Amino acid sequence: MSSTKSVDREAPVQGALVIHPDREGRDGARHPQARLEEAAGLALALDLEVRETMIVGLRKLTPATLFGKGKVEEIRVLVEVEELDVVVIDDALTPVQQRNLEKAWGAKVIDRTGLILEIFARRARTREGRLQVELARLTYERSRLVRTWTHLERQRGGFGVMGGPGETQIETDRRLIAEKIGKLKRELEEVRRTRTLQRSARRRVPFPSVALVGYTNAGKSTLFNRLTNAEVVAQDMLFATLDPTLRSLKLPDGRPAILSDTVGFISDLPHELVEAFRATLEEVREADVVLHVRDIASEETKAQAADVRAVLSRLGVDMDERRILEVWNKADLLPADERDEAVSDARRASPPAVLVSAVTGEGCEALLAAVAGLVDEAPPVDVYMPAGDGAAIAWLYRHGRVIERNEGKDGSVRLSVSLTPQAMGQFEQLYPQAEIRGA
């Protein structure tokens, strides 16, 4: 009787070294140690086993290897002794630097852009998300086709007329990538067209739209679940969710709104990703209100907020204070004295801020009230309706905020109501018999 041996099909764990190059003259808003910890978190999100981390000061950049010769040799010894498989560089590397470091260290080298792209590729679930990540990855890889792959090395030519097969392979790969990029852009353009149609349909049912933005791991998805009773994946991990999610949200006056949860931002978010996710992030640009979720318990909260605003600016999102509401999340993690101080700071903040805990629900009612106040910016108007026009009255209660109601002796009704411009236009079309004053 023969015995069968079970086969372990799981991928082997890869040991990693994470390096943060601390450049002189770099924006000092973020502490190097915080940047290193964030880079290590990204590596963990990619299922790497982080065995060593280090900060390497850079007085000047070495074009061929980024680091000086002595530091390259020091890291080579560490990689060899610790038997490391991957070295993560928390910075952007040129194709030549990446190739030279891999050759010097005998290990796979990933820069910050490649690391984030790989995480996005693993986490994208919807077809749209996968298309966007693939476009970003191909755009990134196209810049790497400069004799960086071993199978593309230049080889001896034939009769002195044609180039070597390696050179031909580079051109072939470059052409194939260009064709794939063109195809992906066309498919994403179709996605954008579909989203535009969906937004137009939502405008015809004039519910205000609210978008959540924030630094990755600020608690957006947890807050989204709390406000909408949804079950979006929410983990203590960088980029736990990527694909946008839309759910119905009920405001304090009973009026519905549409809440969208978007991908988290991060410092130095690769340009390729910002461009690829432009179609998805149009939900933010088109929203009536943008909720900027901040991890108020983090020492880096101000720097993270600046990074989010920078990405929003790159997307062309209007930073008008009337549309931006800061949500200071994770209040439950603050010590008592800092919590009281945060409450006072939130009241004085500009743009306005609301202190909440998505985990406990603290402050969420105040947040919804603040959102209702922002979407009801239009001054109230008086709407006069004849007796028995219950359908029009019910419509106004569903789609507007009724401030006052008076009934005449003849059964007519006067409502003082606040409506968005879209709702006002639709009401006038549906109920021309109503008289509107003050519009």
Side-chain angles (χ1 to χ4, degrees):
M1 186 173 176
S2 62
S3 61
T4 56
K5 207 172 186 180
S6 62
V7 179
D8 184 7
R9 299 183 182 278
E10 290 189 7
V13 175
Q14 292 188 303
L17 163 66
V18 178
I19 301 173
H20 172 66
D22 186 19
R23 299 192 192 189
E24 287 192 354
R26 175 181 270 174
D27 179 15
R30 307 290 298 280
H31 192 278
Q33 184 62 36
R35 282 184 171 269
L36 178 65
E37 291 174 1
E38 180 178 272
L42 289 170
L44 290 171
L46 200 54
D47 299 325
L48 296 174
E49 181 183 304
V50 179
R51 296 177 187 166
E52 298 285 342
T53 62
M54 65 169 63
I55 297 172
V56 177
L58 288 182
R59 293 183 180 178
K60 64 175 183 178
L61 304 183
T62 303
T65 56
L66 185 66
F67 308 106
K69 188 180 295 185
K71 183 58 68 175
V72 170
E73 176 60 19
E74 177 188 328
I75 295 171
R76 184 196 69 76
V77 173
L78 177 62
V79 169
E80 184 177 320
V81 170
E82 297 294 335
E83 298 181 344
L84 301 174
D85 306 292
V86 181
V87 180
V88 176
I89 308 294
D90 185 34
D91 207 331
L93 295 176
T94 67
V96 171
Q97 288 171 342
Q98 185 174 359
R99 181 196 63 183
N100 289 341
L101 290 176
E102 286 185 339
K103 187 176 180 180
W105 295 337
K108 175 68 178 174
V109 175
I110 306 176
D111 68 356
R112 184 179 178 87
T113 301
L115 186 64
I116 295 174
L117 285 171
E118 183 64 27
I119 294 170
F120 273 49
R122 290 193 184 189
R123 299 282 169 75
R125 292 290 178 266
T126 64
R127 177 176 174 273
E128 177 188 356
R130 289 194 293 268
L131 283 174
Q132 291 173 137
V133 172
E134 180 66 7
L135 175 59
R137 187 187 67 78
L138 287 174
T139 304
Y140 172 73
E141 288 294 347
R142 181 168 58 180
S143 69
R144 312 266 127 182
L145 290 181
V146 190
R147 300 184 203 158
T148 57
W149 297 350
T150 55
H151 78 284
L152 302 184
E153 288 180 356
R154 193 167 185 169
Q155 300 179 27
R156 191 172 179 179
F159 297 98
V161 178
M162 298 179 64
E167 237 176 355
T168 304
Q169 185 65 53
I170 289 177
E171 294 303 322
T172 300
D173 284 4
R174 187 176 288 129
R175 177 177 55 79
L176 289 174
I177 285 180
E179 289 175 357
K180 287 181 181 178
I181 287 175
K183 182 173 181 290
L184 287 171
K185 285 184 175 179
R186 289 192 295 274
E187 291 185 46
L188 280 172
E189 191 58 39
E190 182 64 22
V191 169
R192 177 175 294 188
R193 189 184 69 82
T194 302
R195 281 193 173 277
T196 301
L197 291 174
Q198 290 172 343
R199 278 194 294 268
S200 298
R202 291 203 298 267
R203 287 193 190 102
R204 287 196 291 272
V205 181
F207 298 155
S209 59
V210 182
L212 292 173
V213 300
Y215 206 80
T216 183
N217 217 26
K220 291 189 297 84
S221 295
T222 305
L223 182 63
F224 183 87
N225 290 341
R226 169 69 65 175
L227 297 178
T228 64
N229 296 318
E231 295 182 357
V232 174
V233 175
Q235 299 176 357
D236 185 15
M237 180 187 294
L238 298 176
F239 297 119
T241 52
L242 291 182
D243 297 304
T245 310
L246 281 71
R247 292 287 186 277
S248 177
L249 173 72
K250 187 167 286 189
L251 298 177
D253 54 8
R255 180 181 173 194
I258 296 173
L259 183 66
S260 61
D261 184 18
T262 58
V263 62
F265 298 157
I266 197 168
S267 64
D268 302 324
L269 187 67
H271 173 74
E272 295 90 347
L273 278 177
V274 174
E275 289 303 310
F277 276 80
R278 188 173 291 274
T280 299
L281 293 173
E282 280 182 355
E283 293 290 341
V284 179
R285 193 163 52 192
E286 297 293 330
D288 295 304
V289 176
V290 176
L291 301 184
H292 177 186
V293 183
R294 289 174 53 181
D295 178 359
I296 201 62
S298 170
E299 294 181 358
E300 298 289 309
T301 184
K302 290 184 179 179
Q304 291 174 358
D307 288 328
V308 171
R309 285 194 289 268
V311 175
L312 288 175
S313 179
R314 286 164 65 185
L315 289 168
V317 174
D318 182 10
M319 297 300 286
D320 188 333
E321 291 184 359
R322 292 174 302 170
R323 296 181 59 238
I324 303 288
L325 177 64
E326 287 204 347
V327 183
W328 293 2
N329 191 26
K330 304 192 181 183
D332 54 301
L333 299 182
L334 290 173
D337 56 336
E338 293 183 21
R339 190 194 197 93
D340 294 339
E341 186 179 343
V343 171
S344 300
D345 290 344
R347 289 172 181 161
R348 297 192 298 266
S350 178
V354 180
L355 186 68
V356 307
S357 168
V359 171
T360 67
E362 174 192 350
C364 288
E365 289 187 8
L367 172 60
L368 290 174
V371 171
L374 286 173
V375 298
D376 289 334
E377 290 177 348
V381 295
D382 289 334
V383 181
Y384 294 84
M385 285 159 292
D389 203 347
I393 295 172
W395 195 98
L396 289 174
Y397 271 98
R398 284 197 308 270
H399 300 282
R401 184 163 64 92
V402 176
I403 300 167
E404 185 181 359
R405 173 173 177 159
N406 292 304
E407 298 185 8
K409 293 181 180 179
D410 57 353
S412 61
V413 177
R414 180 188 70 83
L415 293 180
S416 178
V417 59
S418 179
L419 293 166
T420 64
Q422 296 95 331
M424 176 69 76
Q426 187 177 11
F427 180 77
E428 289 176 334
Q429 287 183 346
L430 291 173
Y431 304 102
Q433 70 276 18
E435 180 184 353
I436 302 174
R437 299 179 187 176

